[in-house]
Amino acid sequence: MSLLRARESAIAPASAVPAAIAEVENLNISFPAGGEGRHVVRDVSFTLHPGRVLAFVGESGSGKSVTARALLGLVGDNAQVRHERLRILDHDYSNATQVDWRRIRGAGIGYVLQDALTSLDPLKTVGFEVGETVLEHRLKTKREIRSHVVDILGRVGIPDGERRYDEYPHQLSGGLRQRALIAAGIAAAPRILIADEPTTALDVSIQVQVLRLLKQSQEKGLAILLITHDLTVASTFADEILVFRQGEVVERGTAGDVLSRPRHAYTKALLQAIPGQQTRGKRLSPLPPLDLVRLRPPSASGGDGGDILEVRNLTKTFHSSTRHPRVAVDHVSFSLEYGRTLGIVGESGSGKSTVARIILGFEHADSGEVLIDGKPWSALPETKRRPRRHLVQLISQDPLGSFDPRHTVLRLLGDALGTLPAYRNTAKRDARSYELLELVGLERLHALRRPRELSGGQRQRVAIARALAVEPRLLVADEAVSALDVSIQAQILDVLRDIQKQLGLSILFISHDLGVVQHISDSVVVMKAGRVVEHGDVNAIFSSPKEPYTRELLNARHSLSHFRPAPVDAI
Amino acid sequence: MSRDNTNNAVTNRLSARPKRLSVAVILSVVFLVLIAIQVLFPEAIATHSPITIDPLAALQPPSREHWFGTDNLGRDLFSRVVHGSAYSVSIGFGATLIALAGGIVFGALAGFGGRWLDQALMRFNDVLMALPSILLALVVVALLGTGLVNTLWAIGIGLIPQFARLVRAEVLVVRNAGYVESAVGFGFSKTAVVCRHVIPNAIHPVFVLATISIGGSILAGSTLSFLKLGPQPPAPEWGLLLSEGRSVIEHAWWLGVFPGIAISLTVLSVTVVGKSLQKRYLQKES
């Protein structure tokens, strides 16, 4: 539907588009600090119109957020901002003072920050937070504020606004918090709303709700500037898309055009990197496959059709002094064959990570057991399990946290290798570490860096190299690509697939992202509230789900992506 | 425009460097270097012997011959102050080392030993922290007796509770870090994980506390000596000098003033340097 609308607006004469309420021409932003000066935004121009959505799409560091902040005068004191034109709401802001900016922030332009968890003050009630802007701009008196805020809360779909008004952020769920943030953004009735990654880190069903809410505001005449790294979100929602790359706009056009007929190679690569049904069995990134055959341990035959992992009737309850005991895992059973990938999907709080922690031996199950390689695992005492721990390795969402910050990459790999009898010798360890780095696509110079000095993708490669160092049989990837940009995600997914194909490893792939799971898994387990809802072949489940919950999940995702990019020609 | 840019670049390069040392820190470091020289080569600086009695020269005011004057036994005060610095410095460092060692052991035990051990150790710690550490030191001296080494132990033990609490807090944070779990996942034993990852990562703020408590220890050492509970005469410990001068302070002001200045400046310098280290550490963290 929005495809149609977008096309229409593209075809319609320019007079159909309402007059611009914000115009930015040739915006340049640089940060002279840091030696030679970083030029983070180059010659960006755009306009905002009432009732229309403009989306900035790009990866982290592409300059999309800082461009949006220029509309609020929030770029930072150490930045140099140059532009040929900066008109907002019929005023020239080229030489605006702090007082001018303060007048427009909140009242003229609402700003919804990413991450509702940290953007709301934990010591202030929801009502205070939402009403603060209105009071600051003296749009309402203190006496009127309560009814006004309750009204706004109702409009953003927070039920029972009277009660929520006096509650604190921690009493709200993630979805409600994000709505409260949006309520705060629109409370002073701005004509422009900037939403910076408003749906990132939300479960898919809540994403849909939040986007629907933004859509309603847009239909009432609000001009929305949406910043997102997610092309699917941008495509369902935006009228016009600007694709950012390294501070420059590499492509612009209506949502339909950008997605179905991308012109720039970068946009094409981005679109191709989105995992899902159509990418199964294909490479997502343009990088060549890794050559890992050298790494194959001679003993790793294992393909005798048995199970590397068997989970039987696991149950785990968390007790807390302040709340009711919470059953995190409820009679969960599944198994994983040698050399296959099993995906576990579920929304936050479904118990998927707790299952992973029990499999990794970081958590004890109340009942049930885990078998690795057909032998007892979870039932073993720690001292007996320790010599076999190398068989199961974790690739986590946050590789940085899993590295000792004092150590170089070389030392990190060496420490892991030191657990194997064959690598007691330092020289051998170093040689092997360099070899591992090369195998996962890193260079020798990375060996002497500390993890902090590496990019997200490089860190995840180090994490993979370290896991492979100890010759595991099972990799547990817990949201391993969730924090990465789509092109880096594509590379890491390719690396994982190379590992699997060439080393015959089994992978337990846990993610809330259905597309990623569909891309990489052979079979899938759907979890909800600690239980396994559905379990089976990935194609069967994704094409004909039997359980209502699975269908619900898929529908939510579908409504996000009913604008699925058409197949793109190879680059 | 272009000149503006270059100017900016220059200032930015300067501000990118670690913050410039303040005058106070530089003066403190210079003073501490002087103290260090006194400790290592007291003979080279002292003008007289610190213990030679000369009744004819008793209670002389500061002069060219006796820079800080003489005490009631005719001993040269300047030489006694110079020789006394070794006592203060060894008490400062020694006591802090004892507190550091004790704090790491008890803090790590509490942080790792499970709930019961943690509760037992920390409640005992609370009791000790409720008492002023100088009082604790008095108890230890009462048990062990006086003398330099006993003073050192007395002050060191008095400081252990502070260190234990800080170490425990740091260990609790580091214990839950991803890399600790990751090391467990690679099959390292508990002891190996604690020694290789937990303690090295928890130790930084503890070192900062240590630099600051050196000053406190010097002051506490002088206090004990003043009460005649530290090193015994004729040792020229600074607190003892003050104490000896107290009875004749009305006739000989220099006996109180110079040792007092020595104590004050040393403690001040150590504290200034310690605080500056602390600031640097906090900056590095953020």
Side-chain angles (χ1 to χ4, degrees), chain A residues 12 60 76 159 171 196 219 223 253 293 308 357 365 379 423 430 439 457 460 473 487 492 504 515 556:
Chain A
S60 40
Q171 291 167 293
D196 194 346
E219 278 157 8
V293 183
I308 176 70
R357 290 179 56 79
Y423 294 101
D430 284 357
L439 288 171
Q460 202 56 288
R473 307 296 306 278
S487 62
I492 299 296

Side-chain angles (χ1 to χ4, degrees), chain B residues 37 77 96 125 136 143 151 158-159 192 200 208 238 256 269 286:
Chain B
I37 295 171
L77 187 60
T96 303
N125 211 46
L136 221 59
L143 292 174
T151 312
L159 285 174
V208 174
W238 291 344
S269 309
S286 62

Side-chain angles (χ1 to χ4, degrees), chain A residues 150-310:
Chain A
V150 170
D151 177 48
I152 296 271
L153 290 180
R155 267 197 272 156
V156 300
I158 296 182
D160 206 0
E162 274 292 337
R163 182 167 62 93
R164 296 294 184 191
Y165 186 95
D166 295 311
E167 286 191 344
Y168 289 89
H170 72 268
Q171 291 167 293
L172 269 58
S173 69
L176 284 183
R177 258 184 239 152
Q178 190 65 47
R179 283 159 195 237
L181 265 190
I182 294 176
I186 63 172
R191 293 170 62 197
I192 300 172
L193 185 71
I194 300 176
D196 194 346
E197 302 276 6
T199 59
T200 309
L202 294 179
D203 282 327
V204 61
S205 53
I206 298 164
Q207 279 190 26
V208 172
Q209 293 169 9
V210 169
L211 288 176
R212 227 169 253 159
L213 167 64
L214 287 175
K215 191 99 202 159
Q216 285 165 11
S217 323
Q218 175 215 349
E219 278 157 8
K220 284 178 192 147
L222 195 66
I224 296 183
L225 174 55
L226 175 74
I227 300 158
T228 179
H229 69 279
D230 191 337
L231 271 169
T232 4
V233 169
S235 64
T236 28
F237 190 58
D239 299 297
E240 194 187 356
I241 291 181
L242 262 60
V243 180
F244 277 70
R245 187 195 187 195
Q246 292 169 6
E248 285 178 70
V249 174
V250 294
E251 178 142 6
R252 64 164 72 218
T254 62
D257 281 351
V258 170
L259 289 156
S260 54
R261 291 188 295 278
R263 289 187 302 270
H264 197 278
Y266 178 69
T267 320
K268 288 182 190 166
L270 269 188
L271 287 170
Q272 265 181 345
I274 300 175
Q277 170 61 33
Q278 75 283 4
T279 61
R280 278 182 65 81
K282 292 184 198 141
R283 298 188 69 76
L284 290 167
S285 67
L287 301 182
L290 302 177
D291 179 18
L292 296 160
V293 183
R294 264 187 293 164
L295 212 63
R296 189 177 186 123
S299 58
S301 51
D304 45 7
D307 290 335
I308 176 70
L309 168 71
E310 204 180 334

Side-chain angles (χ1 to χ4, degrees), chain A residues 32-35 80 82 357 362 382 386 389-390 392-393 401-407 411 415-416 419 466-467 470, chain B residues 1 5 8-9 12-13 16 177-190 195-198 200-201 204 285:
Chain A
Q80 276 187 357
R82 281 182 288 118
R357 290 179 56 79
F362 293 150
E382 181 59 32
R386 200 169 285 150
R389 267 197 180 270
H390 71 97
V392 185
Q393 285 301 316
S402 71
F403 298 142
D404 191 320
R406 296 171 306 126
H407 293 173
R411 171 90 193 268
D415 272 2
T419 57
R466 188 171 65 152
V470 294
Chain B
M1 188 70 205
N5 277 345
N8 266 345
N12 281 318
R13 220 173 300 142
Y179 51 84
V180 170
E181 195 156 78
S182 156
V184 173
F186 280 105
F188 286 102
S189 70
K190 204 167 176 178
C195 295
R196 296 170 87 155
H197 297 291
V198 179
N201 278 294
H204 267 275
E285 279 292 277

Side-chain angles (χ1 to χ4, degrees), chain A residues 482-502:
Chain A
S482 304
L484 301 173
D485 278 324
V486 65
S487 62
I488 308 295
Q489 167 178 293
Q491 292 175 10
I492 299 296
L493 287 174
D494 282 350
V495 169
L496 287 174
R497 220 170 56 102
D498 291 340
I499 288 172
Q500 166 141 64
K501 274 210 319 219
Q502 297 178 30

Side-chain angles (χ1 to χ4, degrees), chain A residues 488-562:
Chain A
I488 308 295
Q489 167 178 293
Q491 292 175 10
I492 299 296
L493 287 174
D494 282 350
V495 169
L496 287 174
R497 220 170 56 102
D498 291 340
I499 288 172
Q500 166 141 64
K501 274 210 319 219
Q502 297 178 30
L503 302 181
L505 281 177
S506 315
I507 300 179
L508 184 65
F509 196 93
I510 298 163
S511 179
H512 71 281
D513 186 332
L514 295 160
V516 172
V517 169
Q518 194 176 15
H519 167 78
I520 202 168
S521 313
D522 298 306
S523 52
V524 69
V525 166
V526 181
M527 284 189 72
K528 186 199 180 185
R531 289 168 182 272
V532 172
V533 178
E534 201 163 353
H535 179 193
D537 177 73
V538 68
N539 289 322
I541 288 192
F542 276 81
S543 58
S544 51
K546 289 189 186 63
E547 296 298 319
Y549 178 70
T550 316
R551 237 171 289 155
E552 215 176 282
L553 271 184
L554 290 172
N555 282 342
R557 169 161 168 266
H558 184 68
S559 62
L560 271 187
S561 60
H562 64 156

